[in-house]
């Protein structure tokens, strides 16, 4: 379903100009999309200032131009990896969590953040302190749900246990990178610098045992490599297991008259546990392709065929 698809807003307001950004948001919502994912640091590397906030500000401007649309949306943003002028990242200390939640709300022009994520690990701050600060925001009514991105599963469990023991809102979503094919174990993937930013068998097992914990998948299409000859898969993905899975993927795609990337998105949405794909699109054509994929119904035989190659 389109409502399970997440629109990734990373480059809205930087690489994606304002008019295109507004057009993407308009089309996504008109098609039935509800969930928009951003972060306070997006996209610092694409802006002359070296700081983020452009994506949130662009969404906020669009919301202001579309009164009444806010209640139809789930707005998701993150804290933790905005660069500091003095070097390093902002981290997840309680004062940072509180300050940045306020700044994100101001840029978005909203009273409440629907999902607030701890974006990346901060081993200098005990996870309990972060949980207490984020849980307090839920208790105060300025955040509805909490998520954890790019953290190991053991830390997710520790954070949830801490929250539940204190009567606070636990993390109920995790955001990690994954796709239909996987890199060689231990191989470095260019551009992916989060050590624990990957869906693993342990992640899937945890989500199966804890069905209230959603798994959101970023970079599901590997930069368009499934369908674009000018964008080869990163070297870490080039192994025999990839070849077998791509063959199965191509067979299902050809039979259905779909692109390989569309089948990848449909597979993520229909597999169990479900992995909600975050699609970062830069054009209406790319968005339309993702919207078609979200409406594709894969049957049990197709899912079995896609899952067969190990």
């Amino acid at each position: 379903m389109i409502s399970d698809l997440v629109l990734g807003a990373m480059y809205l307001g930087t690489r994606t100009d304002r008019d295109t950004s507004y057009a993407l948001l308009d089309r996504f919502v008109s098609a039935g999309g509800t969930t928009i994912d951003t972060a306070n640091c997006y996209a610092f590397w694409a802006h002359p200032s070296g700081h983020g906030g452009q994506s949130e500000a662009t969404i906020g401007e669009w919301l202001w131009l579309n009164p009444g649309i806010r209640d139809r949306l789930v707005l998701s943003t993150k804290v933790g990896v905005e660069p500091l002028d003095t070097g390093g990242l902002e981290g997840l200390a309680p004062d940072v969590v509180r300050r940045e939640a306020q700044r994100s709300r101001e840029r978005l022009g909203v009273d409440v953040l629907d999902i607030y994520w701890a974006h990346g690990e901060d081993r200098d701050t005990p996870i309990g302190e972060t949980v207490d600060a984020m849980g307090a925001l839920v208790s105060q009514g300025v955040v509805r749900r909490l998520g954890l991105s790019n953290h190991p599963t053991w830390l997710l469990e520790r954070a949830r246990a801490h929250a539940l023991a204190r009567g606070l809102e636990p993390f109920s979503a995790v955001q990690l990178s994954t796709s239909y094919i996987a890199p060689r174990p231990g191989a470095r993937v260019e551009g992916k610098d989060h050590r624990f930013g990957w869906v693993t068998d342990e992640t899937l097992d945890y989500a199966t045992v804890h069905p209230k914990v959603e798994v959101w998948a970023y970079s599901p299409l590997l930069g368009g490599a499934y369908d674009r000859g000018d964008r080869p898969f990163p070297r870490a993905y080039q192994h025999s297991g990839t070849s077998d899975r791509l063959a199965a993927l191509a067979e299902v795609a050809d039979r259905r008259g779909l692109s390989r990337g569309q089948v990848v998105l449909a597979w993520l949405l229909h597999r169990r546990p479900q992995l909600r794909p975050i699609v970062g699109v830069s054009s209406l054509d790319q968005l339309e392709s993702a919207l078609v994929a979200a409406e594709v119904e894969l049957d049990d035989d197709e899912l079995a065929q896609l899952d067969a190659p190990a």
Side-chain angles (χ1 to χ4, degrees):
M1 293 178 59
I2 289 174
S3 59
D4 290 327
L5 199 67
V6 180
L7 181 65
M10 178 181 290
Y11 288 118
L12 300 191
T14 50
R15 293 181 182 173
T16 304
D17 64 45
R18 180 175 298 177
D19 288 346
T20 303
S21 297
Y22 289 175
L24 292 170
L25 291 164
D26 287 342
R27 177 57 185 139
F28 181 68
V29 173
S30 70
T34 59
T35 306
I36 301 169
D37 183 68
T38 185
N40 70 330
C41 68
Y42 290 162
F44 69 83
W45 59 94
H47 194 266
S49 70
H51 289 287
Q54 300 81 26
S55 172
E56 289 180 332
T58 300
I59 296 168
E61 293 162 2
W62 173 77
L63 289 172
W64 183 81
L65 291 170
N66 291 274
I69 206 169
R70 165 68 181 100
D71 292 340
R72 297 163 53 187
L73 303 176
V74 175
L75 297 178
S76 157
T77 195
K78 316 179 195 73
V79 60
V81 299
E82 168 71 0
L84 301 174
D85 288 332
T86 54
L89 304 175
E90 64 188 349
L92 296 171
D95 61 330
V96 174
V97 167
R98 291 188 292 266
R99 181 193 70 218
E100 293 304 314
Q102 177 62 26
R103 289 178 176 176
S104 288
R105 289 165 58 218
E106 290 172 355
R107 283 190 289 263
L108 288 165
V110 300
D111 296 325
V112 181
L113 302 174
D114 295 306
I115 307 182
Y116 194 40
W117 303 76
H119 198 168
E121 280 194 276
D122 175 10
R123 296 266 174 115
D124 292 329
T125 301
I127 190 65
E129 294 182 11
T130 301
V131 171
D132 289 343
M134 297 184 81
L137 292 173
V138 177
S139 299
Q140 294 162 14
V142 298
V143 171
R144 291 195 172 95
R145 290 178 57 198
L146 300 173
L148 198 64
S149 178
N150 299 315
H151 283 67
T153 306
W154 68 265
L155 202 50
L156 167 65
E157 174 59 20
R158 180 175 293 184
R160 283 174 52 82
H162 180 95
L164 292 169
R166 286 160 176 75
L168 298 171
E169 180 74 14
F171 292 115
S172 59
V174 293
Q175 188 171 146
L176 301 162
S177 181
T178 197
S179 187
Y180 176 65
I181 61 172
R184 294 186 307 276
R188 183 184 181 279
V189 180
E190 185 178 355
K192 303 298 182 184
D193 53 3
H194 293 290
R195 180 182 177 191
F196 297 106
W198 300 92
V199 172
T200 66
D201 285 345
E202 188 175 15
T203 311
L204 299 175
D205 182 60
Y206 191 93
T208 300
V209 176
H210 301 82
K212 292 184 179 180
V213 176
E214 294 181 348
V215 182
W216 293 21
Y218 68 81
S219 301
L221 298 180
L222 303 179
Y226 287 103
D227 296 305
R228 291 184 55 171
D230 62 329
R231 294 193 177 181
F233 293 106
R235 290 188 61 186
Y237 291 87
Q238 297 173 13
H239 54 85
S240 60
T242 291
S243 300
D244 293 342
R245 286 179 78 79
L246 288 180
L249 179 66
E251 186 173 333
V252 173
D254 291 346
R255 187 165 63 241
R256 282 296 201 102
L258 299 167
S259 72
R260 295 192 298 180
Q262 286 175 318
V263 175
V264 170
L265 295 178
W267 173 79
L268 290 167
L269 287 165
H270 287 89
R271 56 152 298 139
R272 290 292 177 267
Q274 183 192 61
L275 305 180
R276 294 186 67 182
I278 303 171
V279 290
V281 297
S282 59
S283 70
L284 286 172
D285 285 345
Q286 291 174 354
L287 178 58
E288 290 297 340
S289 178
L291 294 173
V292 169
E295 297 283 67
V296 171
E297 294 286 341
L298 295 177
D299 61 34
D300 289 343
D301 289 341
E302 289 171 321
L303 289 171
Q305 180 180 357
L306 291 167
D307 288 334

